[in-house]
Structures are given as structure tokens and as C-alpha cells.
Amino acid sequence: MISIFTAPKPFTNPHIAIIQRNAIRSWKAVGAEVILVGDDEGVAEAARDLDVIHKPEVVRNAYGTPKIDSIFALGREAASGEMLAYINTDVMLLPDFMDTAMRLAEQEKQFLIIGQRWDLDVRQELDFSDGWVDRLQKDIKTRARRHPRGGSDYFLFPRQVFTYIPPFAIGRAGWDNWMIYEARQRGWKVIDGSADINIIHQDHDYSHLPGGKPHYKLPESFENVKAGGGNRTIFTLDDCNYVLKEQKLERFPGSWKKFWREVEIIPLVRWHSSFFTNIFFALFHPKKAYREWRSQLSSRQA
């Protein structure tokens, strides 16, 4: 059993409601247990209609945004599976997600799987009867666009890891990067599953966010980065140390860029030293370090 938990947006926007229902139906179609966390409008009704578990008692921050630590605690509490996954509620899955997860769980005990997504414009509720996998795979080939390697829309891991999560705000920048950093500094295998796992993100606007602004421009995103340990813990897919290819686990492909990045983060993920982390950052990024120093100096003088 793989248990997927998520914190949906309100089901008040017709398009958001459609893509969230599509995502949840796809998770059920691949055989996962599904848990919806939160008490936003329409979530309880969707959980009932789609016959999935509902945990409404989420804790919110001062802005009214659900907190990641609460979402993970409620999801873990309700989950039956030994494998857990947090997935954004606009993302559809195919059977390759389950197949890859189960095979890897037989080989490894502590790991995190993340990966790139496909972006697809979806405007109607989809049919998940016989042949749905072929239909979606055809859409990937003919209409979908490969998203850049920044950010993550799913996190797949064994139950025994990620038992502690800082009080991040959901739907804001920074917390997904911290997940990668945390796994690396704990010594778990961080695996890029992009080659084997095809996830489909359904396009949407930012009308659900305050002022319609992208999440990375909101104050909560800056607070997330601070809660996660600052800018040095902003890790990306390129900070994975393993990849999955045709169900085989391999070391992340070598390059000079990758080599020097691994050298740069040694003080952070191995020595756990903020002092040497900043020294190494200044050596590798002198202009950025200088700008940070000037900015901090100006803030103190103000």
C-alpha cells in the first residue's frame, strides 16, 4: 500500500475543482490510498464524493495558510501504507509511479524520490475508465511540455523518514527545496525519478493566491526559507545523488558542474557547519556573497 496525502485548494474555482478531481481520481486509479487534509470549502464534499479519507483538523499560520508540519502529521496518522507520498493536488499519476515505488521499497530503506513533471492544459473532467492510461500517455507525447528542473510536485518516501518537518506554509516557495536538503544532510538517497515516473501537472493560474501573485513573491515564501535554514538550504533536482533509469538505481550523472556543487555543499550536508558553509559559498559565489553582505549591512544600519 502507498498512501498519498495532499492539502487541496478550495473547490470554489470551477477550473481548480476540475483539475483537483482529475488528480485524485488518477491516484485512486493507480491503486493508492488517498487522504485529503484541510477544511477549505468543498474539500469535505470532494472526499465524500470520491470516497477518500478526509482529515480536516489542519493547523494554520497567522496568514490562514495550512502548515506543512500539520499536513504531514495528519497524513501520516491516517495513512495505512509503509510508503508515503505528498503530492500537489493538481498532479495526475500513471501506473509507473506505483511500479517504481514498490520496486525501490524492496531495495532501499531510507530515500526520497522526486522528479520533473509534464505540464498539460486540461479544461474538463477526464474519463478514468478502461484505456485512460493510453489516453494520457498520448497527451504527454502530443500536447505536454517538460517543466524546468526547479521545484518539486511530489515527494515519495518510506514512513520512517521525515518524522520532523518545520512549520512551513503550504503552497509557498522554499519548503520543497528544504525536503531535498534534509534528505541529503541525513544521508538518505535522494533520487531523481524523472526518467521512469511521468507525472502530469494540469495548468492553472494564480488567482487562488493573495493578489494573484506567484507564490515565490509572497512574504510567506521568505518565511519558509528562513524556517528551513536560509538560502543555503535551497536545494533542487540537480542536488539529487542518484537517478532511476529503467528501474535501475544509478549515481547521478557526473559533470564538472555537479562535481563542484558537491564540493560546495560538503560543509552543509556532511560537516553540518554554518561557518564553513558560508566560507565555501563565498569562495564559489563571491559576487552573490558580497551582495548578501551589503544587504545585511544596510538592514542593520536601517
Side-chain angles (χ1 to χ4, degrees), residues 108-112 161-162 179-191 235 239 241-242 251 262 268-272:
E108 304 292 337
K109 292 184 178 181
Q110 295 180 320
F111 59 86
L112 170 67
V161 303
F162 289 112
M179 294 283 288
I180 304 169
Y181 155 73
E182 173 71 358
R184 283 298 310 266
Q185 68 101 12
R186 293 277 185 178
W188 309 331
K189 290 182 178 178
V190 183
I191 304 163
F235 279 35
D239 289 305
N241 50 1
Y242 287 86
R251 282 282 184 179
E262 289 296 315
L268 190 60
V269 301
R270 295 189 184 180
W271 303 345
H272 310 291

Side-chain angles (χ1 to χ4, degrees), residues 11 13 34 56 81 96 120 123 157 162 190 196 198 200 219 250 252 272 293-294:
F11 282 76
N13 179 307
V34 179
D96 55 21
L120 183 67
R123 296 289 170 175
F157 52 91
F162 289 112
V190 183
D196 283 8
N198 290 289
I200 305 167
E250 303 175 358
F252 196 94
H272 310 291
W293 176 77
R294 288 297 300 269

